[in-house]
């Protein structure tokens, strides 16, 4: 699948590398493109877009892309500095994904690729058992693409429910960030689902 990745930061680069290895055709869509990249503009043959910019830049980037009916996979987290350092700017009564959806009525949006670090997403196959990646969304087609791409790059992809579950996924992301940055675990770990043996 041709996937337009909006943003060329750590997450965008990691997902581009992983998707390329999995046989997909990721194209980085950037404000100032370099060789091999594309401008921040609609990609006519994209099967989906991955939104991998800081949350504060999400609506401007999506307006430039004008995705129309093409699914958008939201990898953002509404992060902000507070009195205790980095945290979420939204709580459990709203989410960044829901705000994006409200800003673009009719947007086919799924939340995914936001609950672990870029280095994990770059090569999920390094982890055993497979790390888990959750997806939330109200559009079944967008969520199906999200789950497929996560599986293709080495995650155990799990449907977390409707888009309002993004409130939980963004908090889950903050747990990973807190453990990585404040609790000494570093960035080289991932969460996994472990099931009881029957």
């Amino acid at each position: 699948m041709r996937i337009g990745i909006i943003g060329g930061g750590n997450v965008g680069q990691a997902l581009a590398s992983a998707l390329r290895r999995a046989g997909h055709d990721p194209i980085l869509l950037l404000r100032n493109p370099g060789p091999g990249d594309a401008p921040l503009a609609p990609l006519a043959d994209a099967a989906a877009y991955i939104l991998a910019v800081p949350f504060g830049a999400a609506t401007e980037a999506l307006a430039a892309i004008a995705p129309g009916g093409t699914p958008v996979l939201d990898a953002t987290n509404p992060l902000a500095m507070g009195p205790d350092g980095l945290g979420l700017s939204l709580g459990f009564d709203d989410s960044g994904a829901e705000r994006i959806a409200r800003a673009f009525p009719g947007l086919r949006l799924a939340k995914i690729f936001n609950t672990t670090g870029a280095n994990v997403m770059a090569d999920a196959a390094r982890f055993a058992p497979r790390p888990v990646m959750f997806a939330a969304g109200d559009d079944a087609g967008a969520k199906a693409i999200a789950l497929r791409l996560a599986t293709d790059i080495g995650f155990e992809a799990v449907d977390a429910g409707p888009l309002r579950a993004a409130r939980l996924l963004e908090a889950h992301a903050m747990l990973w960030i807190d453990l990585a940055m404040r609790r000494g675990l570093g960035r080289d770990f991932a969460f996994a689902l472990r099931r009881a043996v029957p």
Side-chain angles (χ1 to χ4, degrees), residues 21-197:
R21 278 197 317 275
H24 294 286
D25 182 20
I27 305 291
L28 288 173
L29 304 174
L30 307 175
R31 188 182 311 276
N32 299 303
D37 302 325
L40 190 62
L43 190 61
D45 53 353
Y49 293 106
I50 297 175
L51 184 59
V53 296
F55 175 71
T59 55
E60 181 183 346
L62 277 178
I65 293 296
T70 304
V72 174
L73 313 183
D74 174 23
T76 70
N77 283 307
L79 301 175
M81 292 302 291
D84 296 322
L86 191 63
L88 291 174
S89 62
L90 299 172
F92 289 106
D93 58 350
D94 200 2
S95 69
E98 289 169 285
R99 289 200 176 182
I100 291 169
R102 287 195 299 271
F104 295 89
L107 185 67
R108 300 181 61 203
L109 187 70
K111 185 79 175 185
I112 195 165
F113 299 131
N114 73 302
T115 55
T116 193
N119 61 315
V120 176
M121 289 187 273
D123 192 4
R126 295 183 302 123
F127 298 86
R130 285 188 302 159
V132 65
M133 180 59 65
F134 299 102
D138 297 331
D139 184 285
K143 190 159 50 173
I145 290 174
L147 292 167
R148 176 184 167 188
L149 293 179
T151 300
D152 288 351
I153 66 172
F155 287 96
E156 179 177 0
V158 176
D159 185 340
L163 191 62
R164 70 187 313 274
R167 303 170 188 185
L168 305 176
L169 300 192
E170 291 169 2
H172 186 73
M174 195 64 238
L175 174 61
W176 188 93
I177 292 166
D178 190 71
L179 291 171
M181 298 177 72
R182 293 189 207 155
R183 310 296 170 205
L185 288 188
R187 297 172 185 266
D188 206 24
F189 77 97
F191 296 117
L193 289 181
R194 300 301 297 263
R195 295 173 175 83
V197 176

